Amino acid sequence: LCTQRDLPLTVQSCVLPKDCQVTEWAEWGPCSKTCLDPESPTGNRTRNRQVIQFPVGEGAKCPPLEESESCEPPGEGVPPCATYTWRTTEWSDCRVDSLLSQQDRRRSNLTGLCGGGLQTREVYCVQANAELLKYLNDLREKDKG
């Protein structure tokens, strides 16, 4: 005879699968590029959507919640982007004192280093088209007034 101990299960837990559900896409965000730049003419914009129902069990996974696309600056009269360039001062006179300071001071021989020396100059990063951008901004302000 069959014993109670070997009785097969008559009930087990299970999960009803539910697919992921998401909202419609929101509106596109603004373009990251707000000025004209021939070197890099396009920017990016993104849009999002939200999860309404997360997947349960073997339900379908959620699709991407964010997407992006390239875009160009919107509207007419978009100003040019600021551009930058390096500017330098003139080279200094050739000097050996900066090299001598690196020699071992314990040796009292501070004579020249076989004709070698160093020249220095200062280097600055400056906005190359600042005047143009100021002029265009002044025109825009004048048109508003």
Side-chain angles (χ1 to χ4, degrees), residues 54-55 72-73 81 140:
F54 284 97
E72 293 182 4
C81 295
R140 202 173 310 116

Side-chain angles (χ1 to χ4, degrees), residues 78-143:
V78 177
C81 295
T83 57
Y84 296 88
T85 188
W86 291 106
R87 293 279 190 256
T88 62
T89 61
E90 293 296 319
W91 285 106
S92 69
D93 293 335
C94 186
R95 298 173 56 151
V96 294
D97 57 345
S98 55
L99 286 175
L100 290 175
S101 67
Q102 296 173 16
Q103 276 191 330
D104 187 351
R105 293 278 187 206
R106 289 174 292 175
R107 295 188 335 202
S108 59
N109 179 11
L110 294 179
T111 57
L113 299 175
C114 301
L118 288 178
Q119 289 179 290
T120 59
R121 67 179 177 182
E122 294 186 19
V123 178
Y124 304 94
C125 178
V126 297
Q127 188 174 335
N129 62 347
E131 296 84 13
L132 172 62
L133 292 177
K134 181 180 180 337
Y135 172 74
L136 292 173
N137 190 50
D138 291 348
L139 277 181
R140 202 173 310 116
E141 292 300 318
K142 188 176 175 183
D143 286 348

Side-chain angles (χ1 to χ4, degrees), residues 16-21 53-56 58-62:
L16 293 173
K18 284 195 179 203
D19 293 341
C20 178
Q21 292 180 353
Q53 169 68 57
F54 284 97
V56 176
E58 298 295 315
K61 304 280 185 252
C62 292

Side-chain angles (χ1 to χ4, degrees), residues 33-42 73 78-83:
K33 185 68 80 170
T34 58
C35 57
L36 292 177
D37 180 2
E39 301 283 320
S40 172
T42 61
V78 177
C81 295
T83 57

